[in-house]
Amino acid sequence: MIATLSETSSPLASLRRLQSHLRSSPSGRALLRARPTLTTSTLDLAALAALPQGTLGHAYAAWLARNRVSPDTRDPVRYIAHDEELAYVMRRYRESHDLYHVVLGFGVSLPAELVVKWFEAANFGLPVAVLSGLVGPLRMEAGERKRLWRAYGPWALRAGARAQCLIGVHWEREWETPLDELRARWGVERPPVGFKAWRDEGRRLEALRRAADEGV
């Protein structure tokens, strides 16, 4: 349903803006010519895992294994058949989503996904990211929702707006690049607090709340 929404809710102007961004750089033009895909049939995950720690490839392979995620879980693009290049832009955005998690340093929980969507909304301007970022928090408890926004909301919007548009990253050429170097080159600002620390603080607050309730 999210995949369908991402296609049917994205006006041509939004996709053409990303298309123009790709056409404006050598790496983007190379992507549009070759149209590489990120799937288990095109990726050697064992080779990526064997790369030195700190590289993009190693971090990506470790993230997939740790979160039990497969690159093959992305639905094919079905509703942009009128323009093959625009369909590829949407596919590239969709298949690169896990790499945005890696670059930003977030896992796959609902709070982590929302933070990445806030970043994407500012970086790509696609309606699906905006809608997900607005509606997703409603599934969270009010206190946790406020705590998440205070910790990451302003940063995610600012960092997404300031960074270069990540649709143009030719990931396949960057596997051996140190992750910190890639972030610096593309202007990706690190979050103000690590997500594990944020999650652990939430668990501590929840334990205190339960203890207080039991003491009443």
Side-chain angles (χ1 to χ4, degrees), residues 113-141:
E113 185 66 38
L114 287 173
V115 177
V116 174
K117 285 300 181 187
W118 292 337
F119 178 94
E120 287 184 356
N123 194 249
F124 301 116
L126 289 175
V128 66
V130 177
L131 289 171
S132 298
L134 290 174
V135 176
L138 300 179
R139 296 170 56 194
M140 300 173 63
E141 188 272 331

mmCIF file of all heavy atoms in Angstrom, residues 113-141:
data_model
loop_
_atom_site.group_PDB
_atom_site.id
_atom_site.type_symbol
_atom_site.label_atom_id
_atom_site.label_comp_id
_atom_site.label_asym_id
_atom_site.label_seq_id
_atom_site.Cartn_x
_atom_site.Cartn_y
_atom_site.Cartn_z
ATOM 1 N N GLU A 113 11.841 4.740 11.450
ATOM 2 C CA GLU A 113 11.305 4.961 10.106
ATOM 3 C C GLU A 113 10.762 6.374 9.957
ATOM 4 O O GLU A 113 10.942 7.023 8.915
ATOM 5 C CB GLU A 113 10.201 3.946 9.810
ATOM 6 C CG GLU A 113 9.657 3.994 8.397
ATOM 7 C CD GLU A 113 10.685 3.586 7.363
ATOM 8 O OE1 GLU A 113 11.475 2.662 7.640
ATOM 9 O OE2 GLU A 113 10.706 4.213 6.281
ATOM 10 N N LEU A 114 10.126 6.872 10.989
ATOM 11 C CA LEU A 114 9.570 8.223 10.921
ATOM 12 C C LEU A 114 10.662 9.273 10.788
ATOM 13 O O LEU A 114 10.527 10.232 10.021
ATOM 14 C CB LEU A 114 8.728 8.492 12.166
ATOM 15 C CG LEU A 114 7.390 7.761 12.218
ATOM 16 C CD1 LEU A 114 6.720 7.964 13.570
ATOM 17 C CD2 LEU A 114 6.473 8.239 11.094
ATOM 18 N N VAL A 115 11.745 9.099 11.521
ATOM 19 C CA VAL A 115 12.840 10.063 11.431
ATOM 20 C C VAL A 115 13.403 10.081 10.011
ATOM 21 O O VAL A 115 13.657 11.145 9.434
ATOM 22 C CB VAL A 115 13.947 9.741 12.447
ATOM 23 C CG1 VAL A 115 15.121 10.717 12.278
ATOM 24 C CG2 VAL A 115 13.417 9.830 13.871
ATOM 25 N N VAL A 116 13.588 8.903 9.436
ATOM 26 C CA VAL A 116 14.101 8.829 8.064
ATOM 27 C C VAL A 116 13.106 9.476 7.100
ATOM 28 O O VAL A 116 13.511 10.183 6.155
ATOM 29 C CB VAL A 116 14.391 7.372 7.671
ATOM 30 C CG1 VAL A 116 14.787 7.269 6.196
ATOM 31 C CG2 VAL A 116 15.503 6.798 8.549
ATOM 32 N N LYS A 117 11.810 9.281 7.310
ATOM 33 C CA LYS A 117 10.801 9.895 6.445
ATOM 34 C C LYS A 117 10.839 11.418 6.565
ATOM 35 O O LYS A 117 10.630 12.126 5.563
ATOM 36 C CB LYS A 117 9.403 9.369 6.781
ATOM 37 C CG LYS A 117 9.148 7.961 6.276
ATOM 38 C CD LYS A 117 9.276 7.880 4.752
ATOM 39 C CE LYS A 117 8.993 6.498 4.227
ATOM 40 N NZ LYS A 117 9.271 6.380 2.778
ATOM 41 N N TRP A 118 11.063 11.943 7.763
ATOM 42 C CA TRP A 118 11.173 13.399 7.918
ATOM 43 C C TRP A 118 12.356 13.922 7.105
ATOM 44 O O TRP A 118 12.250 14.946 6.439
ATOM 45 C CB TRP A 118 11.340 13.764 9.391
ATOM 46 C CG TRP A 118 10.123 13.498 10.226
ATOM 47 C CD1 TRP A 118 8.825 13.399 9.788
ATOM 48 C CD2 TRP A 118 10.083 13.268 11.633
ATOM 49 N NE1 TRP A 118 7.989 13.132 10.848
ATOM 50 C CE2 TRP A 118 8.724 13.043 11.988
ATOM 51 C CE3 TRP A 118 11.046 13.222 12.644
ATOM 52 C CZ2 TRP A 118 8.324 12.809 13.299
ATOM 53 C CZ3 TRP A 118 10.648 12.977 13.955
ATOM 54 C CH2 TRP A 118 9.302 12.771 14.271
ATOM 55 N N PHE A 119 13.471 13.199 7.173
ATOM 56 C CA PHE A 119 14.645 13.590 6.385
ATOM 57 C C PHE A 119 14.319 13.530 4.892
ATOM 58 O O PHE A 119 14.631 14.451 4.127
ATOM 59 C CB PHE A 119 15.819 12.667 6.713
ATOM 60 C CG PHE A 119 17.059 12.962 5.919
ATOM 61 C CD1 PHE A 119 18.053 13.793 6.426
ATOM 62 C CD2 PHE A 119 17.246 12.401 4.661
ATOM 63 C CE1 PHE A 119 19.199 14.073 5.692
ATOM 64 C CE2 PHE A 119 18.390 12.672 3.911
ATOM 65 C CZ PHE A 119 19.360 13.509 4.434
ATOM 66 N N GLU A 120 13.696 12.433 4.463
ATOM 67 C CA GLU A 120 13.350 12.262 3.049
ATOM 68 C C GLU A 120 12.403 13.363 2.569
ATOM 69 O O GLU A 120 12.524 13.848 1.435
ATOM 70 C CB GLU A 120 12.693 10.906 2.818
ATOM 71 C CG GLU A 120 13.635 9.729 2.883
ATOM 72 C CD GLU A 120 12.941 8.417 2.543
ATOM 73 O OE1 GLU A 120 11.708 8.426 2.324
ATOM 74 O OE2 GLU A 120 13.616 7.398 2.495
ATOM 75 N N ALA A 121 11.440 13.739 3.412
ATOM 76 C CA ALA A 121 10.486 14.774 3.017
ATOM 77 C C ALA A 121 11.207 16.061 2.660
ATOM 78 O O ALA A 121 10.871 16.730 1.676
ATOM 79 C CB ALA A 121 9.484 15.020 4.143
ATOM 80 N N ALA A 122 12.212 16.421 3.448
ATOM 81 C CA ALA A 122 12.961 17.647 3.196
ATOM 82 C C ALA A 122 13.960 17.474 2.056
ATOM 83 O O ALA A 122 14.235 18.424 1.318
ATOM 84 C CB ALA A 122 13.691 18.084 4.461
ATOM 85 N N ASN A 123 14.500 16.278 1.882
ATOM 86 C CA ASN A 123 15.543 16.051 0.883
ATOM 87 C C ASN A 123 14.977 15.824 -0.518
ATOM 88 O O ASN A 123 15.546 16.295 -1.504
ATOM 89 C CB ASN A 123 16.414 14.871 1.302
ATOM 90 C CG ASN A 123 17.709 14.783 0.519
ATOM 91 O OD1 ASN A 123 17.899 13.879 -0.285
ATOM 92 N ND2 ASN A 123 18.614 15.726 0.745
ATOM 93 N N PHE A 124 13.854 15.108 -0.613
ATOM 94 C CA PHE A 124 13.302 14.737 -1.914
ATOM 95 C C PHE A 124 12.036 15.512 -2.286
ATOM 96 O O PHE A 124 11.742 15.675 -3.458
ATOM 97 C CB PHE A 124 12.978 13.238 -1.965
ATOM 98 C CG PHE A 124 14.158 12.356 -1.711
ATOM 99 C CD1 PHE A 124 14.201 11.534 -0.600
ATOM 100 C CD2 PHE A 124 15.234 12.353 -2.571
ATOM 101 C CE1 PHE A 124 15.294 10.714 -0.357
ATOM 102 C CE2 PHE A 124 16.331 11.540 -2.336
ATOM 103 C CZ PHE A 124 16.361 10.725 -1.230
ATOM 104 N N GLY A 125 11.255 15.909 -1.282
ATOM 105 C CA GLY A 125 10.015 16.612 -1.564
ATOM 106 C C GLY A 125 8.925 15.742 -2.140
ATOM 107 O O GLY A 125 7.973 16.249 -2.731
ATOM 108 N N LEU A 126 9.013 14.422 -1.979
ATOM 109 C CA LEU A 126 7.976 13.528 -2.484
ATOM 110 C C LEU A 126 6.807 13.478 -1.501
ATOM 111 O O LEU A 126 7.013 13.327 -0.295
ATOM 112 C CB LEU A 126 8.522 12.122 -2.699
ATOM 113 C CG LEU A 126 9.492 11.947 -3.870
ATOM 114 C CD1 LEU A 126 10.042 10.529 -3.896
ATOM 115 C CD2 LEU A 126 8.817 12.277 -5.202
ATOM 116 N N PRO A 127 5.577 13.579 -1.983
ATOM 117 C CA PRO A 127 4.420 13.588 -1.090
ATOM 118 C C PRO A 127 4.331 12.381 -0.163
ATOM 119 O O PRO A 127 3.878 12.499 0.969
ATOM 120 C CB PRO A 127 3.227 13.629 -2.062
ATOM 121 C CG PRO A 127 3.768 14.324 -3.256
ATOM 122 C CD PRO A 127 5.186 13.833 -3.382
ATOM 123 N N VAL A 128 4.753 11.190 -0.632
ATOM 124 C CA VAL A 128 4.630 10.001 0.223
ATOM 125 C C VAL A 128 5.462 10.148 1.487
ATOM 126 O O VAL A 128 5.046 9.705 2.563
ATOM 127 C CB VAL A 128 5.034 8.722 -0.545
ATOM 128 C CG1 VAL A 128 6.515 8.724 -0.918
ATOM 129 C CG2 VAL A 128 4.690 7.483 0.275
ATOM 130 N N ALA A 129 6.628 10.778 1.383
ATOM 131 C CA ALA A 129 7.450 10.981 2.576
ATOM 132 C C ALA A 129 6.789 11.965 3.525
ATOM 133 O O ALA A 129 6.806 11.791 4.749
ATOM 134 C CB ALA A 129 8.843 11.471 2.173
ATOM 135 N N VAL A 130 6.194 13.011 2.953
ATOM 136 C CA VAL A 130 5.502 13.998 3.779
ATOM 137 C C VAL A 130 4.309 13.357 4.482
ATOM 138 O O VAL A 130 4.108 13.526 5.695
ATOM 139 C CB VAL A 130 5.037 15.189 2.913
ATOM 140 C CG1 VAL A 130 4.248 16.187 3.757
ATOM 141 C CG2 VAL A 130 6.239 15.880 2.266
ATOM 142 N N LEU A 131 3.500 12.596 3.733
ATOM 143 C CA LEU A 131 2.323 11.952 4.312
ATOM 144 C C LEU A 131 2.712 10.956 5.399
ATOM 145 O O LEU A 131 2.098 10.906 6.465
ATOM 146 C CB LEU A 131 1.520 11.255 3.214
ATOM 147 C CG LEU A 131 0.779 12.175 2.237
ATOM 148 C CD1 LEU A 131 0.208 11.367 1.082
ATOM 149 C CD2 LEU A 131 -0.329 12.935 2.946
ATOM 150 N N SER A 132 3.726 10.143 5.125
ATOM 151 C CA SER A 132 4.177 9.160 6.118
ATOM 152 C C SER A 132 4.682 9.856 7.368
ATOM 153 O O SER A 132 4.433 9.405 8.495
ATOM 154 C CB SER A 132 5.279 8.283 5.521
ATOM 155 O OG SER A 132 4.801 7.547 4.423
ATOM 156 N N GLY A 133 5.398 10.964 7.186
ATOM 157 C CA GLY A 133 5.934 11.690 8.328
ATOM 158 C C GLY A 133 4.869 12.353 9.172
ATOM 159 O O GLY A 133 5.065 12.571 10.372
ATOM 160 N N LEU A 134 3.719 12.670 8.536
ATOM 161 C CA LEU A 134 2.628 13.306 9.277
ATOM 162 C C LEU A 134 1.696 12.286 9.928
ATOM 163 O O LEU A 134 1.269 12.470 11.070
ATOM 164 C CB LEU A 134 1.818 14.202 8.333
ATOM 165 C CG LEU A 134 2.514 15.473 7.830
ATOM 166 C CD1 LEU A 134 1.653 16.171 6.798
ATOM 167 C CD2 LEU A 134 2.838 16.416 8.987
ATOM 168 N N VAL A 135 1.374 11.222 9.201
ATOM 169 C CA VAL A 135 0.391 10.252 9.686
ATOM 170 C C VAL A 135 1.035 9.206 10.605
ATOM 171 O O VAL A 135 0.435 8.779 11.589
ATOM 172 C CB VAL A 135 -0.307 9.558 8.499
ATOM 173 C CG1 VAL A 135 -1.262 8.473 8.981
ATOM 174 C CG2 VAL A 135 -1.046 10.592 7.663
ATOM 175 N N GLY A 136 2.267 8.796 10.295
ATOM 176 C CA GLY A 136 2.925 7.760 11.081
ATOM 177 C C GLY A 136 2.975 8.023 12.574
ATOM 178 O O GLY A 136 2.719 7.110 13.381
ATOM 179 N N PRO A 137 3.283 9.254 12.998
ATOM 180 C CA PRO A 137 3.367 9.504 14.445
ATOM 181 C C PRO A 137 2.069 9.255 15.189
ATOM 182 O O PRO A 137 2.082 9.047 16.410
ATOM 183 C CB PRO A 137 3.759 10.994 14.504
ATOM 184 C CG PRO A 137 4.482 11.238 13.231
ATOM 185 C CD PRO A 137 3.770 10.391 12.212
ATOM 186 N N LEU A 138 0.926 9.266 14.491
ATOM 187 C CA LEU A 138 -0.353 9.054 15.162
ATOM 188 C C LEU A 138 -0.459 7.649 15.727
ATOM 189 O O LEU A 138 -1.301 7.396 16.600
ATOM 190 C CB LEU A 138 -1.502 9.320 14.186
ATOM 191 C CG LEU A 138 -1.564 10.742 13.604
ATOM 192 C CD1 LEU A 138 -2.728 10.861 12.628
ATOM 193 C CD2 LEU A 138 -1.667 11.779 14.715
ATOM 194 N N ARG A 139 0.375 6.738 15.258
ATOM 195 C CA ARG A 139 0.359 5.362 15.764
ATOM 196 C C ARG A 139 1.138 5.234 17.065
ATOM 197 O O ARG A 139 1.117 4.182 17.706
ATOM 198 C CB ARG A 139 0.961 4.416 14.724
ATOM 199 C CG ARG A 139 0.176 4.341 13.429
ATOM 200 C CD ARG A 139 0.940 3.583 12.364
ATOM 201 N NE ARG A 139 1.309 2.251 12.807
ATOM 202 C CZ ARG A 139 2.197 1.474 12.185
ATOM 203 N NH1 ARG A 139 2.808 1.927 11.102
ATOM 204 N NH2 ARG A 139 2.478 0.276 12.647
ATOM 205 N N MET A 140 1.824 6.290 17.478
ATOM 206 C CA MET A 140 2.649 6.250 18.686
ATOM 207 C C MET A 140 1.906 6.861 19.867
ATOM 208 O O MET A 140 1.001 7.680 19.707
ATOM 209 C CB MET A 140 3.963 7.018 18.445
ATOM 210 C CG MET A 140 4.810 6.472 17.328
ATOM 211 S SD MET A 140 6.235 7.539 16.965
ATOM 212 C CE MET A 140 7.145 7.440 18.513
ATOM 213 N N GLU A 141 2.309 6.454 21.066
ATOM 214 C CA GLU A 141 1.785 7.070 22.282
ATOM 215 C C GLU A 141 2.217 8.536 22.317
ATOM 216 O O GLU A 141 3.318 8.881 21.862
ATOM 217 C CB GLU A 141 2.318 6.297 23.489
ATOM 218 C CG GLU A 141 1.700 6.699 24.805
ATOM 219 C CD GLU A 141 2.436 7.861 25.457
ATOM 220 O OE1 GLU A 141 3.672 7.996 25.218
ATOM 221 O OE2 GLU A 141 1.780 8.630 26.185
#
